[in-house]
Amino acid sequence: MTDTSVLAPANAVAPETISTFDSAAPSQPQADTSAPSAFASLGLALELQHAVRDLGYVQPTAVQLKTIPLALPGAEGTPSSTKFNDLMVSSQTGSGKTAAFLLPVLHTLLRQQAEQIEAERAEWELRAAQAQERGEPAPKRAKRKDPTNPRHFKAAVPGALVLCPTRELAQQVANDAIDLVRHCRGLRIANVVGGMPYQLQIAKLQNANLVVATPGRLLDLQRSMQIKLDQVQFLVVDEADRMLDLGFSDDLAEINQLTIERKQTMMFSATFAPRIQQLAARVMREPQRVTIDNPQEKHANIKQVLFWADNAHHKRKLLDHWLRDASINQAIVFASTQIECDGLAGDLQQEGFNAVALHGALSQGLRNRRLMALRNGQVQILVATDVAARGIDVPTITHVFNYGLPMKAEDYTHRIGRTGRAGRDGLAVTFAEFRDRRRIFDIEAYTRQHFKSDVLPGLEPRQRFPEAKPGTGASFGGRGKHFNERPAARSDRGFGDRSAPPAGRGRRAPGVDGYANVSRELGFGGHQNASHAGERRNFARTDAAPRPGPAARPGHAKPGNTGRGFVPKGAKARPGR
């Protein structure tokens, strides 16, 4: 949580503080004139324009150009300036989605805060005038109470709520919001995630205007009456597809009921899958859709390459070769499991690499420290599971290595999106064994892109690996074999040939390319007619020795019948049968 303030317009502060910022007020339009920004044309507040300029962003991205005007009050399609559009936005990772929903929400909160301050000032002036008419002293202004004092505690009532599926993503969004309110007076940002002390988060929630949270911890605080959600005006669901994957559908339904009086709902997802549309139908009112660069479109600034490995040892050598590349500034190595993540990070540390592990089994404090070390450049290689596939925005990450393939094909796009951020170039390297071919084909089918396999001199694979071709069934079916390459049917066995034994009802005789009828050999099926029995006998080798059965007792077995378990009619069964 933060409460940073540097600049504010005159109408956005209390009367007693106007003189403090009067000297800075004339310089604001001059700075804007000397360095014009394209964000000014979006109608954003002046404080937000200054913050964006300080962060080094001059030109909005495509998703920001389309989303921000629709998200602002009084946008096209709304009947009045007090109405808001519900939005469903789909865009690639790293395209600026976070600022696309933070900027309009913060702009509206700033405008409402200015109106509230103006109303409070007008009310105080009216009371002062009435007191002067009665000859009484002017009323005193209310002092700001210390929110950390337990005597002054009251439940937080935020005006905006941003839901994220993972802790790392929630922390990243909160940090971005803090950077954007650096010039805003009185706007407070709170981050609520699991794994952190309750008392610390409760203290930070006091007077918070925007809360970025994960659903589980948010509902825990709501049930303990530490936060009230009935005054939430703006609800943003970030990474809605991942939210459903992690099983937060019931939590989203509960939060939807707690914030039922909200004015606007925005949902950001990688795709508009049917389940996302069903969720939108429950929580949104006639949403407008914005689609920018769906996951099937190739990342133009990220080079993707595939290396086939014979086994785990070969794959480990390929990774070691790549990690010694001098062009690597910082890199993320993705593993499939937590055990693989810890083991790989330990091996890299023993070999002299500056590497740490990050996965869901670590404590939240340790995860925060390692992410902070990565952002500060103290760690060069982060070995992580898919918990880091979303929410890590470090511009200095130049390489992403898929040492273990993701369980879901769509997670691949989020993984490689950790590099090539904000228009920079990046490299995504994937290592796969022969057993991983199905996942490779699934990724190709989801992204509709063909992997270009490559080899390193001296580390070439010895096996021959499948090569999926674009536009064929292999690229989209995941079978690893083209339809035309399937083995032809046997010429001696057609669809209408009754002489072919059904699958599972016969077995091959030793060394014979044919079937021997097991039932006939074991002495069963004597009731069948001779024609069928003769057809089945033709499939057995005449020179093949019959399978020996148990010795028949004298006087009870018919001559020539050595089948096991055969008892003539009227004979006594063996003892124990």
Side-chain angles (χ1 to χ4, degrees):
M1 179 189 66
T2 185
D3 188 6
T4 55
S5 60
V6 179
L7 297 175
N11 61 352
V13 296
E16 67 270 21
T17 60
I18 293 179
S19 59
T20 307
F21 294 94
D22 256 354
S23 59
S27 62
Q28 293 177 4
Q30 296 177 4
D32 224 31
T33 306
S34 59
S37 171
F39 285 93
S41 62
L42 299 177
L44 296 174
L46 197 60
E47 299 92 332
L48 298 178
Q49 296 181 33
H50 288 322
V52 171
R53 183 190 59 199
D54 293 344
L55 293 174
Y57 300 109
V58 178
Q59 186 67 29
T61 62
V63 65
Q64 294 166 3
L65 282 174
K66 288 192 174 183
T67 303
I68 293 177
L70 292 175
L72 291 175
E76 182 180 357
T78 56
S80 66
S81 60
T82 59
K83 299 295 183 179
F84 295 85
N85 289 318
D86 286 356
L87 299 179
M88 293 179 61
V89 183
S90 175
S91 181
Q92 280 186 355
T93 301
S95 59
K97 290 185 295 184
T98 303
F101 63 77
L102 282 180
L103 286 174
V105 169
L106 293 175
H107 168 85
T108 307
L109 291 177
L110 275 174
R111 192 190 68 171
Q112 293 177 351
Q113 185 187 56
E115 294 174 354
Q116 181 181 0
I117 292 176
E118 186 66 26
E120 292 176 354
R121 181 171 62 180
E123 181 183 358
W124 182 87
E125 291 177 352
L126 178 61
R127 292 169 53 195
Q130 294 175 351
Q132 186 177 6
E133 291 177 358
R134 295 191 300 266
E136 300 176 356
K140 295 183 179 180
R141 297 181 182 274
K143 293 183 179 180
R144 182 179 181 272
K145 298 180 180 180
D146 182 10
T148 60
N149 192 331
R151 294 182 300 176
H152 303 152
F153 171 80
K154 62 178 182 178
V157 284
L161 177 62
V162 180
L163 296 178
C164 301
T166 62
R167 302 173 185 177
E168 284 72 22
L169 180 58
Q171 292 173 342
Q172 180 65 48
V173 172
N175 291 334
D176 292 341
I178 291 172
D179 291 337
L180 291 175
V181 300
R182 60 176 61 184
H183 296 301
C184 302
R185 181 179 178 82
L187 273 188
R188 301 173 69 87
I189 311 298
N191 182 24
V192 175
V193 296
M196 299 297 290
Y198 277 89
Q199 295 301 325
L200 178 62
Q201 291 187 345
I202 292 172
K204 290 184 176 182
L205 275 174
Q206 296 301 299
N207 299 327
N209 303 96
L210 186 145
V211 174
V212 184
T214 52
R217 177 57 64 90
L218 177 68
L219 290 177
D220 288 345
L221 295 174
Q222 187 273 333
R223 290 161 185 161
S224 60
M225 302 301 294
Q226 305 298 330
I227 184 174
K228 294 182 179 179
L229 303 179
D230 55 346
Q231 298 186 27
V232 170
Q233 305 177 61
F234 310 101
L235 175 63
V236 180
V237 182
D238 195 13
E239 302 288 358
D241 54 341
R242 183 64 173 170
M243 197 87 71
L244 296 181
D245 291 341
L246 296 178
F248 287 128
S249 58
D250 294 339
D251 293 343
L252 290 177
E254 185 174 354
I255 294 174
N256 174 50
Q257 293 299 321
L258 294 172
T259 61
I260 199 65
E261 300 296 332
R262 62 186 180 275
K263 299 179 180 179
Q264 186 180 46
T265 306
M266 289 186 283
M267 185 178 299
F268 289 75
S269 177
T271 58
F272 290 144
R275 55 179 184 165
I276 302 299
Q277 298 179 18
Q278 295 173 3
L279 175 63
R282 294 195 301 266
V283 304
M284 307 179 80
R285 298 180 294 269
E286 299 180 358
Q288 297 190 22
R289 294 190 179 185
V290 178
T291 304
I292 305 291
D293 297 335
N294 56 37
Q296 281 73 26
E297 296 184 11
K298 186 176 181 180
H299 294 75
N301 58 330
I302 301 178
K303 181 182 178 181
Q304 306 175 43
V305 62
L306 169 67
F307 289 89
W308 290 103
D310 294 324
N311 46 46
H313 182 66
H314 185 200
K315 183 166 65 172
R316 183 66 181 79
K317 285 186 175 181
L318 292 172
L319 176 64
D320 183 79
H321 179 276
W322 268 103
L323 291 180
R324 300 183 186 279
D325 188 356
S327 63
I328 295 180
N329 189 348
Q330 286 181 301
I332 298 182
V333 180
F334 283 102
S336 297
T337 63
Q338 297 176 359
I339 296 177
E340 184 182 50
C341 180
D342 285 330
L344 184 58
D347 293 342
L348 294 179
Q349 291 173 0
Q350 292 181 359
E351 295 180 6
F353 292 101
N354 184 10
V356 295
L358 181 70
H359 53 75
L362 301 176
S363 66
Q364 188 59 42
L366 183 58
R367 289 160 66 174
N368 293 343
R369 290 193 295 271
R370 292 185 175 180
L371 282 177
M372 186 60 65
L374 179 69
R375 294 188 176 98
N376 295 336
Q378 301 172 355
V379 171
Q380 184 185 21
I381 300 172
L382 179 69
V383 184
T385 57
D386 283 331
V387 72
R390 310 173 192 230
I392 295 182
D393 187 6
V394 181
T396 53
I397 294 178
T398 56
H399 292 65
V400 167
F401 299 100
N402 291 301
Y403 186 79
L405 295 182
M407 298 297 179
K408 300 186 64 177
E410 52 263 35
D411 289 339
Y412 172 82
T413 60
H414 294 283
R415 283 185 175 190
I416 67 174
R418 299 310 100 200
T419 185
R421 308 285 293 183
R424 299 176 178 87
D425 294 332
L427 178 62
V429 181
T430 301
F431 306 106
E433 300 179 41
F434 183 78
R435 61 181 179 180
D436 300 324
R437 63 192 184 279
R438 173 64 66 89
R439 294 186 185 179
I440 292 293
F441 295 151
D442 289 343
I443 294 174
E444 288 183 335
Y446 178 76
T447 60
R448 299 180 184 176
Q449 301 171 24
H450 172 57
F451 271 116
K452 179 182 178 183
S453 59
D454 202 352
V455 295
L456 293 176
L459 293 175
E460 298 89 351
R462 297 181 180 179
Q463 302 180 24
R464 184 178 180 181
F465 292 95
E467 190 71 23
K469 299 178 181 179
T472 63
S475 294
F476 299 95
R479 296 184 179 274
K481 184 176 289 186
H482 305 301
F483 178 79
N484 295 332
E485 296 178 2
R486 295 177 181 175
R490 292 173 56 94
S491 59
D492 59 344
R493 194 184 307 163
F495 287 103
D497 187 6
R498 289 182 174 270
S499 62
R505 296 181 59 183
R507 66 172 178 84
R508 289 183 181 272
V512 182
D513 188 15
Y515 288 87
N517 187 275
V518 178
S519 300
R520 189 66 180 176
E521 183 182 349
L522 297 180
F524 297 101
H527 63 281
Q528 298 180 357
N529 56 51
S531 61
H532 284 190
E535 290 175 358
R536 286 188 172 90
R537 280 196 298 269
N538 291 336
F539 279 90
R541 282 274 302 269
T542 56
D543 55 348
R547 185 172 179 177
R553 292 188 295 172
H556 287 277
K558 292 183 179 180
N561 193 330
T562 59
R564 65 173 74 170
F566 178 82
V567 180
K569 184 176 181 180
K572 295 183 180 180
R574 293 184 185 180
R577 289 284 181 131

